[in-house]
Amino acid sequence: MLMSLLVTMTVSAGNLKGVDRSNLDPTVAPGENFYQYACGGWMKANPLDPQYARFGTFDQLAENSREQVKDIITSLGTSGRRGTIEQKVGDLYNMGLDSVRLNSEGGTPLKADLDKIARAQRADFVKLIAWMHSGIGAPFFNSAVMSDLKDSNNNLLYLMQDGLGMGDRDYYLENDANTAKVRNAYSNYIGQLFQLLGYKKGAATKAAKNVMKIETELARVAMSREETRDYSRLYNIRTVAQLRTDYPNINWDEYFAGIHVSGVEKVCLFQPKSLAKVNELLSTLKEEQVRQYLTFKYADAAAAYLSDDYVQANFDFYSRAMSGKQVMQPRWKRALNVPNTLLGEAVGQLYVKKYFPADSKKKMQRLVDNLKVALGEHIQGLTWMTPKTKVNALVKLNSFTVKIGYPDKWRDYSGIDIDKSKSYWENVLAARQFEAAYEYGQLGKPVDKDRWQMTPQTVNAYYDPSTNEICFPAAILQPPYFDPSADEACNYGAIGVVIGHEMTHGFDDQGRNFDYTGNMVDWWTKEDADRFQELADKLGEQYSAEIVADDVHANGKFTMGENIADHGGLRVSYSAFKKTDQGKGTELIDGFTPDQRFFLSYANVWANNITKEEILRRTKVDPHSLGVNRVNVAIRNLEPFFKAFNIKAGEKMWRDPAERVAIW
Ligand SMILES: [Zn+2]
């Protein structure tokens, strides 16, 4: 499980040695709307390109990273010897570019597998579901191997709710106009895929109805996104004997054989209610309905790797209807994502060799150490926490594993064969199946604590409570996040807050339930836990009060962990900054005080433009708050912010001291 900085990845290149005045909107006072003041110039200068649903400084960096990866891949050429990593990466990329071949093949690459689904009878369904879980998709439910939440050195098989193409149950259950519009578009997309597969219009509409019916039934019993944040509710251990008794319509021996795991004695079942529904559906649905659902799930997984008609249908729903993107990304970007993801560490190895300066690691380590000291002092100084819990919190802080740049040990991709005589989809599928086999293959082995859960070329960062590790891939260690030659205020306002953010995840509403070894253990006194909850609820209310679009509010409960992480990150990085010579001083750079530069630098990280559709989608599925709220809601809990910009009671950005929250 991961708590990341962002859901998607993607900065202002440019020479950011201090605050870039062109990012500002001087027509708006900082006390009126700080986000607009700090980022308005950037937003105006970077109108949303129609190939994006959201574009911010983050996305700018991701674009740079993508260009760098493209240079690496194109310089590999097409001459790689069969079986070398260069051949695999190069061929996979080039196959994605070959529109002539893709369009001449149409849907034929799916034929053999879809025939297999078409011939299936009730007794075959579980085998097919297991096969699809191994690299294709997640019909009905899903499974994964991860460390045992209560025994972090050992892996465990997890079973979880899934099967919803729109991702969150609310898309199926809410009836406001925006949600109904997306749902309608989904139903049309399903019908369209069936037509592309050769169904007549009437039959395709009927099949789409069946798929919607199955997904809606799954949505009705699914846990809400707020409920899924509570790991104590998710941790339900079941023996295989119990699974056989409770869910007899799922042949568990066939299921485990299908995902290639053996010797399973127990599993962790996140949502028993959802699995009960799957068990029921597998006997009550007509065979034809199950075949249609599996057929759609397969075609949906493959659509982006087929001819233009499939790709367009897929784009029109997931990107246009759900996110408000108007234009598809150019083919090279879509093609690049495939090796960049499926052979991610192979590309990453080439990336860091060329783009990651060796001394960045040392400089970053120093920043991390400074942040650690500051967070330790904050913990010691907390007025709401008892000394007993503080000791445990400090032990946890001092046990963080820090990963910077790239892994010490790289993944081995020798088991993947990329074969140009086969179709693009067959190769993509082979690579996905290889990845799934690798993941399921961790069962029965001790947890590999050296592995990375993001590639080095990813512009993001994460905290993992089960390993108690913070990780900063190479690609985020560039301007405007991190620039060894830049103003300290800018580094602490950007990468400093990112470091503090990831550290604070170890102490957010989820992370605090894990101890220094990564086990889910309650190390809190009851009174400290109650006080934490009170403060967290107060923070949550600040976010829930914000309207994101129309009459839809932000969801402070669902975004709680990320908001606490932003909150802690800002406070701790500010304290660390105040220990530097520059932070202690009063020197003006570009006309701004050190504190002003710190807050402006922070705000600029979240400068973005975003479509209304994407705002509504993210409010349903993204545990991170919108950029505007990550700035305007978060910074108003910090006294130095009001002082830095001389903001007084009566101004819109003002928040009374009694309404402010200080957790970490
Ligand atoms: Zn985060």
Side-chain angles (χ1 to χ4, degrees):
M1 95 216 86
L2 277 198
M3 298 169 184
S4 70
L5 193 67
L6 288 164
V7 150
T8 49
M9 43 210 58
T10 323
V11 176
S12 144
N15 196 14
L16 212 135
K17 302 294 182 200
V19 170
D20 185 347
R21 279 197 170 266
S22 68
N23 286 345
L24 309 184
D25 176 356
T27 67
V28 173
E32 171 77 18
N33 180 341
F34 186 70
Y35 184 70
Q36 181 62 32
Y37 165 73
C39 308
W42 187 95
M43 293 189 283
K44 200 172 170 193
N46 295 277
L48 198 59
D49 179 319
Q51 60 177 288
Y52 292 95
R54 182 196 69 182
F55 191 83
T57 44
F58 243 97
D59 306 282
Q60 242 167 1
L61 247 203
E63 277 297 301
N64 293 354
S65 169
R66 209 197 311 260
E67 294 283 348
Q68 291 166 331
V69 168
K70 183 189 177 195
D71 282 351
I72 292 169
I73 293 181
T74 49
S75 70
L76 294 174
T78 51
S79 56
R81 212 161 30 86
R82 181 83 187 266
T84 59
I85 204 66
E86 287 80 3
Q87 177 261 322
K88 292 174 192 183
V89 172
D91 282 355
L92 203 47
Y93 176 60
N94 287 314
M95 290 179 86
L97 293 180
D98 191 350
S99 58
V100 174
R101 179 174 169 189
L102 285 165
N103 284 327
S104 75
E105 289 176 348
T108 51
L110 310 187
K111 198 168 178 310
D113 282 344
L114 291 182
D115 285 350
K116 186 159 102 175
I117 295 173
R119 287 191 304 268
Q121 295 177 330
R122 198 168 302 274
D124 305 315
F125 290 153
V126 170
K127 242 183 275 177
L128 285 180
I129 292 168
W131 163 69
M132 290 184 69
H133 288 179
S134 315
I136 298 168
F140 291 110
F141 64 105
N142 207 354
S143 60
V145 173
M146 296 181 288
S147 61
D148 186 332
L149 295 175
K150 293 194 176 177
D151 176 14
S152 61
N153 291 319
N154 288 302
N155 284 308
L156 181 64
L157 183 68
Y158 290 78
L159 301 173
M160 64 274 289
Q161 69 183 28
D162 211 317
L164 307 181
M166 290 190 281
D168 187 75
R169 69 172 199 174
D170 285 358
Y171 277 116
Y172 299 84
L173 308 178
E174 286 179 351
N175 284 313
D176 61 281
N178 290 315
T179 306
K181 204 171 130 189
V182 172
R183 187 160 60 231
N184 204 20
Y186 185 51
S187 179
N188 289 337
Y189 165 62
I190 303 170
Q192 221 183 330
L193 270 195
F194 278 116
Q195 285 193 63
L196 288 169
L197 294 173
Y199 284 55
K200 296 249 161 52
K201 189 153 193 289
T205 308
K206 215 174 137 197
K209 258 194 188 143
N210 285 330
V211 171
M212 283 302 280
K213 177 183 137 55
I214 293 172
E215 294 197 10
T216 307
E217 290 218 29
L218 293 170
R220 280 202 189 103
V221 296
M223 261 191 197
S224 71
R225 58 193 179 277
E226 297 90 347
E227 289 169 323
T228 58
R229 293 191 62 71
D230 184 353
Y231 283 115
S232 66
R233 290 181 65 163
L234 300 176
Y235 195 76
N236 307 296
I237 297 295
R238 298 285 188 271
T239 63
V240 172
Q242 284 173 310
L243 289 180
R244 287 196 182 105
T245 310
D246 296 346
Y247 315 103
N249 297 329
I250 302 168
N251 182 325
W252 291 100
D253 293 325
E254 279 185 3
Y255 182 76
F256 296 141
I259 58 172
H260 304 288
V261 296
S262 56
V264 185
E265 284 164 14
K266 60 171 189 178
V267 302
C268 177
L269 174 55
F270 274 173
Q271 295 97 356
K273 258 169 92 179
S274 288
L275 199 63
K277 176 55 81 176
V278 174
N279 182 66
E280 177 200 312
L281 288 172
L282 285 174
S283 83
T284 56
L285 290 171
K286 295 194 185 99
E287 288 189 351
E288 186 56 21
Q289 292 174 314
V290 178
R291 284 192 289 266
Q292 287 168 346
Y293 178 58
L294 297 179
T295 298
F296 166 68
K297 286 296 192 192
Y298 187 99
D300 178 47
Y305 311 96
L306 301 173
S307 48
D308 289 349
D309 42 3
Y310 283 90
V311 175
Q312 188 67 46
N314 190 265
F315 172 86
D316 285 343
F317 175 66
Y318 289 107
S319 298
R320 195 193 303 269
M322 276 194 112
S323 289
K325 284 184 199 169
Q326 298 303 317
V327 173
M328 211 184 287
Q329 285 186 327
R331 191 176 291 277
W332 74 264
K333 287 191 187 173
R334 290 182 272 134
L336 191 77
N337 285 340
V338 174
N340 202 19
T341 314
L342 291 173
L343 299 165
E345 286 199 12
V347 175
Q349 209 169 343
L350 302 168
Y351 173 86
V352 296
K353 233 187 258 172
K354 196 164 173 189
Y355 295 108
F356 188 58
D359 65 336
S360 286
K361 205 162 177 162
K362 267 187 242 151
K363 287 177 178 147
M364 181 67 181
Q365 184 66 52
R366 195 174 50 85
L367 272 172
V368 170
D369 292 342
N370 293 348
L371 264 291
K372 237 165 131 172
V373 170
L375 178 51
E377 290 170 359
H378 275 230
I379 291 171
Q380 274 161 331
L382 293 176
T383 52
W384 60 268
M385 189 183 256
T386 59
K388 194 176 166 221
T389 306
K390 282 183 186 177
V391 170
N392 291 329
L394 290 167
V395 168
K396 181 165 183 178
L397 171 67
N398 290 316
S399 306
F400 277 153
T401 297
V402 182
K403 295 180 173 176
I404 299 171
Y406 53 90
D408 296 329
K409 178 181 91 184
W410 295 97
R411 277 283 303 277
D412 172 12
Y413 294 107
S414 57
I416 296 187
D417 182 33
I418 299 300
D419 179 354
K420 278 198 290 191
S421 72
K422 292 184 182 157
S423 67
Y424 184 41
W425 164 245
E426 285 172 284
N427 280 290
V428 168
L429 180 55
R432 286 166 63 149
Q433 287 169 331
F434 174 84
E435 193 57 32
Y438 177 79
E439 295 292 347
Y440 283 125
Q442 301 301 312
L443 193 67
K445 293 182 189 160
V447 172
D448 178 0
K449 306 216 174 183
D450 294 327
R451 74 184 280 203
W452 280 46
Q453 304 194 48
M454 280 179 187
T455 62
Q457 65 273 30
T458 304
V459 183
N460 207 337
Y462 71 83
Y463 170 75
D464 182 343
S466 72
T467 48
N468 199 28
E469 71 182 43
I470 48 177
C471 178
F472 307 94
I476 199 172
L477 304 180
Q478 347 175 26
Y481 287 89
F482 175 67
D483 182 352
S485 63
D487 179 11
E488 295 266 41
C490 294
N491 274 322
Y492 279 89
I495 196 75
V497 180
V498 171
I499 298 167
H501 173 109
E502 300 308 337
M503 288 180 172
T504 308
H505 270 314
F507 305 95
D508 71 15
D509 61 320
Q510 290 183 316
R512 76 172 192 86
N513 299 301
F514 293 79
D515 71 3
Y516 73 103
T517 63
N519 286 328
M520 194 161 70
V521 167
D522 189 0
W523 48 271
W524 292 62
T525 65
K526 166 93 173 64
E527 57 177 320
D528 288 327
D530 289 346
R531 285 200 198 119
F532 173 87
Q533 195 55 51
E534 229 170 85
L535 293 168
D537 287 345
K538 195 169 165 187
L539 186 74
E541 281 160 21
Q542 292 178 359
Y543 286 85
S544 291
E546 297 293 321
I547 289 185
V548 294
D550 296 342
D551 54 356
V552 178
H553 281 254
N555 185 336
K557 275 207 171 94
F558 178 51
T559 54
M560 181 68 82
E562 297 301 332
N563 298 336
I564 293 174
D566 281 344
H567 173 76
L570 261 169
R571 285 172 48 85
V572 171
S573 189
Y574 178 78
S575 295
F577 169 57
K578 293 310 274 183
K579 292 179 176 209
T580 64
D581 289 344
Q582 207 188 61
K584 285 185 230 164
T586 53
E587 186 199 354
L588 299 184
I589 298 180
D590 305 320
F592 294 107
T593 67
D595 279 18
Q596 287 175 334
R597 298 197 303 278
F598 175 89
F599 289 110
L600 287 169
S601 170
Y602 173 71
N604 282 177
V605 163
W606 302 115
N608 69 65
N609 286 302
I610 183 166
T611 64
K612 178 181 155 187
E613 290 88 343
E614 185 70 353
I615 288 174
L616 293 167
R617 187 185 75 84
R618 285 186 181 269
T619 303
K620 278 195 170 67
V621 302
D622 187 350
H624 302 81
S625 291
L626 297 174
V628 59
N629 294 335
R630 294 186 83 160
V631 177
N632 280 353
V633 181
I635 56 174
R636 284 189 291 151
N637 288 310
L638 278 83
E639 174 67 17
F641 162 68
F642 299 102
K643 284 212 172 109
F645 293 94
N646 195 25
I647 294 167
K648 297 269 189 296
E651 291 186 81
K652 277 194 185 149
M653 291 295 299
W654 177 255
R655 184 182 280 148
D656 278 334
E659 302 301 317
R660 295 176 202 160
V661 180
I663 307 181
W664 294 107

